[in-house]
Amino acid sequence: MIQKLKNSLKLQHRAKQLIPGLCQLLSKRPDQFSWGVWPGYYSKAKGVKVWDLDGNEYTDMSIGGIGATVLGYADSDIDNAVKRSIDNGVASSLNCPEEVELAELLCKIHPWAQMCRFTRTGGESMALAVRIARAYTGRDTIAFCGYHGWHDWYLAANIGTENALGEHLLPGLNPKGVPNNLKNTAIPFKYNDINELQEIAKVHKMDLGVIVLETIRNFPPEDNFLEKVREVADKAGAVLIVDEISSGFRLNSAGAHMTYNLIPDIAVFSKSIGNGYAISAIIGKSDIMSAAQDSFISSTNWTERVGYTAAIATIKKHHKENAGKHLIAIGSKVQEGWRILAEKHNLIINIEGIKPLSHFNFEYKDQLGLKALFIQEMLKRGFLASTIFYSMLAHSNTDVEKYLAATDEVFAIIHKVLSRNINIDSLLEGERSVSGFKRLT
């Protein structure tokens, strides 16, 4: 075993018996990294440091709380604001004023928007946005691009197909449990392929009511793609929703659509706006957002105080510190480091993603075995690291330098494995990484 993991592994085995799928988020499942090696659980997190259940300390150069902790773990400014709100009561028979303050703040930094609704998670916020759009247009069909969560409206794209969602982040998403009569209500199109969207609009010209896309994920828009999507939506009379759950507050202190001068009808935020606290926002044009009153959309826990308080404090600090600039700079250093080290060690890797949300793949047949080996060897050097890196405001240049020094050593090992045709399994102390969705047994 690469380090003491007795308590961590014991809890993972307990969890498998008690929780279907072991945990609540696929991206945090240990088998997505390397089962038997990845710690799985944490006891404490602060800044960019994480401690597991066995007392091992790591510098986190991996998924950064799946992009939620944009400022860093346990940020004192955010936590202190939350603690004050807790002392004043997180819930009562009346509404908290912070939800109005957050709505005003979001509309101020997105001048095209006039109204907001709030939820607690990204998936439900997308479901709410789609519900509002369908209520406004009175049409059922959705054209979408990108990854948008686990709800029925989205997984319906995989009903009766091999893997329609496979090109939109996660392959193998099973639509079991989604009503079969939702088939053909959600139709995917590829990013930067405006012809594909135009064809969908042509075929479904009488019932296309919603167009959904991530503003940006892996590649920048080309040939005025976003402007053309806006034109298709206008011509079709469809509501244009931009999903900023991952991209929001990465390139700037607002949505990425502001960087690209795209004016949507609705924008959806989650993850980074609360720095780890549960809060999501749906903002939009008043005439469209008002349709929320024509459909029953309501939840007790959407009224609790903590999420709003965290979001207000996070957004204000993000703007004050110009966090977007730092996130881009740190991500750029990591991506450039990957390129230089891959060239140094004669490794073929493919680097993608906007700078704050970076990832690479080993371009070899056994890329999942190589990924597991990389993870294993980086853990030995004190880093939580995968083939994904999400930058946080708390990351320093020194963190990056130490990380790249460790990556240099591990890439040398991987080059040796490949050049000498060494059996990767003989070096793995855990299991190979798993790709996409797979039932955990």
Side-chain angles (χ1 to χ4, degrees):
M1 188 175 294
I2 61 171
Q3 67 261 343
K4 180 183 177 184
L5 286 177
K6 179 181 178 182
N7 293 329
S8 295
L9 295 180
K10 182 178 179 181
L11 191 59
Q12 289 178 36
H13 287 291
R14 284 169 54 195
K16 283 180 68 176
Q17 305 303 314
L18 296 166
I19 301 171
L22 188 140
C23 62
Q24 314 312 310
L25 181 67
L26 175 63
S27 299
K28 286 189 178 182
R29 245 171 49 179
D31 64 328
Q32 300 291 305
F33 303 92
S34 178
W35 183 270
V37 168
W38 191 254
Y41 295 91
Y42 75 102
S43 61
K44 178 183 175 182
K46 181 67 176 177
V48 297
K49 297 292 186 180
V50 176
W51 290 261
D52 67 20
L53 302 185
D54 293 282
N56 299 301
E57 178 183 335
Y58 310 92
T59 299
D60 194 346
M61 301 296 288
S62 63
I63 51 181
I66 315 298
T69 49
V70 69
L71 302 179
Y73 300 127
D75 182 276
S76 296
D77 293 327
I78 313 309
D79 289 355
N80 288 336
V82 166
K83 289 172 185 176
R84 289 192 295 270
S85 75
I86 292 172
D87 288 341
N88 289 324
V90 301
S92 84
S93 297
L94 303 180
N95 296 298
C96 68
E98 287 85 356
E99 67 176 88
V100 180
E101 183 180 353
L102 179 57
E104 289 175 337
L105 179 58
L106 286 168
C107 289
K108 180 180 179 180
I109 61 180
H110 300 94
W112 60 269
Q114 298 87 41
M115 302 187 82
C116 306
R117 285 294 301 257
F118 301 102
T119 70
R120 287 297 176 263
T121 73
E124 68 177 353
S125 63
M126 282 304 305
L128 189 153
V130 166
R131 173 79 72 81
I132 291 174
R134 279 173 161 166
Y136 177 77
T137 62
R139 303 177 194 169
D140 295 340
T141 303
I142 301 168
F144 72 88
C145 176
Y147 173 73
H148 305 291
W150 64 274
H151 286 70
D152 285 4
W153 77 265
Y154 182 66
L155 286 188
N158 267 2
I159 296 175
T161 70
E162 288 294 324
N163 192 18
L165 298 175
E167 295 183 5
H168 298 264
L169 188 65
L170 290 174
L173 297 180
N174 197 322
K176 282 188 176 180
V178 178
N180 286 325
N181 59 7
L182 292 181
K183 181 179 179 180
N184 295 326
T185 57
I187 305 168
F189 65 95
K190 298 180 186 68
Y191 196 81
N192 279 330
D193 191 341
I194 194 63
N195 292 330
E196 195 169 17
L197 175 59
Q198 289 172 337
E199 183 62 24
I200 293 170
K202 180 179 179 181
V203 172
H204 297 272
K205 60 182 178 181
M206 300 302 295
D207 58 352
L208 178 63
V210 191
I211 297 175
V212 181
L213 82 159
E214 292 182 281
T215 306
I216 186 171
R217 180 177 282 272
N218 292 331
F219 311 104
E222 299 173 354
D223 191 26
N224 297 317
F225 173 69
L226 296 178
E227 179 182 325
K228 292 176 180 177
V229 170
R230 176 73 268 180
E231 291 172 356
V232 172
D234 290 340
K235 184 176 180 180
V239 170
L240 175 58
I241 301 172
V242 292
D243 180 342
E244 294 275 13
I245 292 171
S246 291
S247 58
F249 293 85
R250 308 289 174 190
L251 304 177
N252 53 38
S253 293
H257 65 274
M258 300 287 284
T259 296
Y260 292 101
N261 298 314
L262 171 66
I263 298 179
D265 299 309
I266 292 175
V268 179
F269 298 89
S270 190
K271 289 185 185 287
S272 59
I273 66 168
N275 202 52
Y277 289 96
I279 181 69
S280 300
I282 302 91
I283 71 174
K285 298 175 180 176
S286 57
D287 57 336
I288 295 172
M289 292 294 293
S290 293
Q293 296 192 77
D294 299 325
S295 181
F296 181 62
I297 301 171
S298 179
S299 178
T300 298
N301 282 337
W302 292 348
T303 68
E304 68 84 32
R305 191 176 221 156
V306 167
Y308 297 111
T309 302
I312 292 166
T314 299
I315 293 171
K316 287 182 176 179
K317 181 168 184 175
H318 196 289
H319 182 268
K320 179 182 177 182
E321 300 293 336
N322 196 4
K325 181 178 179 180
H326 181 77
L327 299 176
I328 292 170
I330 291 294
S332 297
K333 289 179 183 294
V334 169
Q335 286 197 7
E336 183 62 18
W338 287 342
R339 289 190 185 93
I340 291 171
L341 293 175
E343 183 176 349
K344 175 182 177 180
H345 296 288
N346 295 312
L347 296 178
I348 303 173
I349 65 173
N350 181 42
I351 300 170
E352 294 181 344
I354 59 175
K355 299 301 192 296
L357 304 176
S358 303
H359 65 272
F360 74 89
N361 294 310
F362 291 105
E363 295 296 295
Y364 298 92
K365 183 178 181 180
D366 193 5
Q367 62 175 252
L368 294 178
L370 293 173
K371 177 183 175 182
L373 182 60
F374 179 76
I375 290 168
Q376 170 184 295
E377 295 302 314
M378 292 298 285
L379 285 168
K380 289 181 180 180
R381 290 158 176 80
F383 291 93
L384 287 179
S386 180
T387 54
I388 299 174
F389 172 70
Y390 287 178
S391 56
M392 299 185 284
L393 182 63
H395 280 120
S396 68
N397 289 328
T398 300
D399 294 324
V400 175
E401 290 165 5
K402 291 180 178 179
Y403 164 75
L404 291 176
T407 301
D408 190 3
E409 296 177 6
V410 177
F411 274 14
I413 293 172
I414 291 173
H415 169 71
K416 180 179 178 180
V417 168
L418 292 170
S419 62
R420 299 185 183 182
N421 201 26
I422 298 173
N423 187 331
I424 295 175
D425 289 321
S426 68
L427 301 177
L428 293 180
E429 299 173 32
E431 297 182 11
R432 292 164 171 271
S433 303
V434 170
S435 176
F437 177 79
K438 183 179 180 182
R439 185 182 178 93
L440 190 66
T441 58

